[in-house]
């Protein structure tokens, strides 16, 4: 391999260096975003815990059957799936959709999807999952308004009897090293999940509005908390992916530089040999 080979290697080294700059920058951006969303998750966890305690006390005190606790005859099940709008986050989206595909494998025709995040759509098509609605351009710090929109649409389908269950699927952020996919049933409400909390509240006639407000507040805060968990996991996956890509770039650059130097050294040695050989021929 002569001069042409050296030019090609130099071109590859330049291309990899440019890619490395991008992956390193994206890694730093993800690190910064992860820090911000983790701060929001910490404060939101406290808020959600208070909402959950109030909800548990209310649901245990309200003995009458209602639309939130009573299932319907529909065979359809709804899954709110939280994915990302941006790529370059490793296996974050693919693992989410493959998990949904697995839990719905035996009843695929009755599984409906509310997809949050643009990247989940392409993966859903591969697994032939039917999406009823898609929510894109969710900010790095999800808001109550976005969570409320998702909940209202899901609850409307449940209220009309179009689905018998509403579930949420998201990546729960436990630590930088541990994220796990959670599938939680939202509707109908399973009162046994809150039986460990003692209730002292008493309801009188005409308290349905109060009950509705508490239930809606709880589910909106639950979806918001899940969205923030998902954003933490997304940024964590992206940070790890970019760090891995940067490290791979360093490894590849090291090999290419070594190869470049060997070829260059070989070319110089050959030139010296030719010069010496020519000088000896003249003598």
């Amino acid at each position: 391999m002569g001069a042409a080979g050296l030019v090609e290697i130099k071109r590859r080294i330049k291309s990899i260096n440019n890619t490395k700059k991008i992956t390193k920058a994206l890694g730093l951006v993800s690190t910064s975003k992860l820090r911000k969303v983790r701060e929001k998750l910490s404060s939101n966890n406290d808020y959600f815990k208070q909402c959950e305690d109030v909800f548990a006390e209310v649901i245990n005190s309200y003995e009458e059957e209602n639309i939130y606790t009573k299932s319907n005859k529909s065979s359809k099940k709804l899954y709110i799936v939280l994915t990302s709008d941006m790529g370059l986050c490793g296996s974050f989206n693919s693992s989410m959709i493959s998990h949904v595909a697995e839990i719905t494998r035996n009843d695929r025709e009755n599984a409906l999807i509310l997809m949050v995040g643009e990247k989940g759509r392409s993966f859903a098509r591969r697994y032939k999952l039917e999406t009823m609605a898609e929510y894109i351009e969710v900010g790095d710090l999800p808001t109550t308004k976005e969570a409320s929109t998702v909940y209202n649409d899901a609850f409307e389908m449940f209220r009309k009897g179009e689905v018998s269950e509403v579930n949420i699927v998201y990546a729960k952020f436990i630590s930088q090293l541990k994220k796990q996919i959670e599938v939680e049933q939202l509707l109908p409400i399973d009162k046994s999940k809150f039986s460990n909390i003692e209730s002292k509240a008493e309801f009188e006639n005409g308290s349905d509005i109060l009950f509705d407000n508490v239930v809606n507040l709880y589910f909106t805060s639950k979806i918001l908390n899940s969205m923030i968990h998902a954003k933490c996991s997304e940024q964590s996956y992206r940070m790890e992916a970019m760090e891995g890509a940067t490290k791979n770039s360093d490894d590849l650059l090291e090999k290419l530089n070594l190869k470049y130097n060997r070829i260059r050294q070989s070319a110089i040695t050959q030139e010296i040999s030719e010069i010496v050989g020519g000088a000896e021929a003249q003598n």
Side-chain angles (χ1 to χ4, degrees):
M1 185 181 291
L6 290 175
V7 171
E8 177 62 26
I9 293 175
K10 286 184 72 174
R11 186 181 294 116
R12 289 188 64 191
I13 289 174
K14 182 179 179 181
S15 175
I16 293 170
N17 271 318
N18 290 336
T19 302
K20 179 184 172 183
K21 291 177 183 178
I22 295 172
T23 58
K24 192 172 183 179
L26 287 174
L28 293 172
V29 170
S30 297
T31 301
S32 175
K33 289 183 176 181
L34 176 59
R35 184 177 66 254
K36 291 179 181 178
V37 74
R38 285 187 72 172
E39 290 174 357
K40 181 163 185 177
L41 178 62
S42 179
S43 60
N44 184 265
N45 279 338
D46 294 335
Y47 169 75
F48 173 66
K49 182 64 171 62
Q50 294 179 21
C51 289
E52 189 174 43
D53 289 344
V54 172
F55 172 76
E57 188 168 348
V58 169
I59 200 70
N60 286 332
S61 301
Y62 204 87
E63 297 180 355
E64 298 178 14
E65 280 289 318
N66 55 74
I67 190 173
Y68 303 100
T69 59
K70 191 166 53 176
S71 185
N72 55 53
K73 296 180 180 180
S74 175
S75 59
K76 304 287 187 179
K77 294 182 180 180
L78 182 68
Y79 295 87
I80 303 170
V81 184
L82 307 184
T83 63
S84 71
D85 282 315
M86 294 178 58
L88 300 176
C89 49
S91 62
F92 175 73
N93 292 308
S94 60
S95 60
M96 289 293 299
I97 302 302
S98 63
H99 190 81
V100 174
E102 179 61 27
I103 62 178
T104 61
R105 180 164 51 93
N106 296 326
D107 197 20
R108 186 66 55 81
E109 63 275 9
N110 288 318
L112 306 180
I113 308 295
L114 290 187
M115 187 70 71
V116 179
E118 186 173 0
K119 291 300 178 180
R121 294 189 296 183
S122 58
F123 287 101
R125 293 191 191 101
R126 296 182 193 177
Y127 289 98
K128 298 180 180 179
L129 293 169
E130 182 182 356
T131 57
M132 301 300 297
E134 297 161 351
Y135 309 86
I136 62 175
E137 298 182 0
V138 176
D140 293 323
L141 298 175
T143 64
T144 301
K145 181 179 179 181
E146 292 164 335
S148 180
T149 299
V150 175
Y151 167 66
N152 288 338
D153 290 347
F155 174 69
E156 189 66 12
M157 294 179 68
F158 181 78
R159 185 185 67 80
K160 290 180 178 179
E162 297 175 4
V163 295
S164 60
E165 279 186 18
V166 176
N167 304 277
I168 188 165
V169 186
Y170 67 100
K172 185 175 183 179
F173 183 87
I174 299 172
S175 69
Q176 177 60 40
L177 299 177
K178 186 176 182 181
K179 285 84 67 178
Q180 66 184 34
I181 298 176
E182 297 283 347
V183 182
E184 299 180 14
Q185 180 179 313
L186 302 181
L187 292 168
I189 299 170
D190 183 3
K191 296 179 70 173
S192 63
K193 291 170 55 178
F194 308 96
S195 59
N196 60 326
I197 297 180
E198 184 179 351
S199 176
K200 299 178 182 179
E202 294 183 4
F203 286 90
E204 299 178 353
N205 293 335
S207 58
D208 291 346
I209 294 178
L210 172 62
F211 181 80
D212 289 344
N213 289 338
V214 171
V215 171
N216 292 334
L217 175 64
Y218 167 73
F219 281 123
T220 301
S221 62
K222 171 60 183 175
I223 292 176
L224 176 60
N225 184 259
S226 301
M227 292 173 78
I228 299 174
H229 268 284
K231 282 294 179 181
C232 275
S233 298
E234 174 193 341
Q235 297 300 347
S236 178
Y237 269 97
R238 183 172 290 111
M239 185 181 73
E240 292 169 0
M242 293 302 100
E243 287 178 350
T246 302
K247 183 179 182 303
N248 289 340
S249 295
D250 287 333
D251 293 342
L252 191 54
L253 284 171
E254 184 179 353
K255 292 178 182 178
L256 286 173
N257 280 318
L258 182 61
K259 185 176 181 180
Y260 177 85
N261 290 331
R262 283 177 176 173
I263 294 173
R264 187 167 177 271
Q265 186 178 22
S266 178
I268 293 172
T269 301
Q270 184 177 351
E271 287 179 8
I272 293 174
S273 298
E274 291 173 355
I275 293 172
V276 172
E280 290 178 349
Q282 289 181 351
N283 294 331

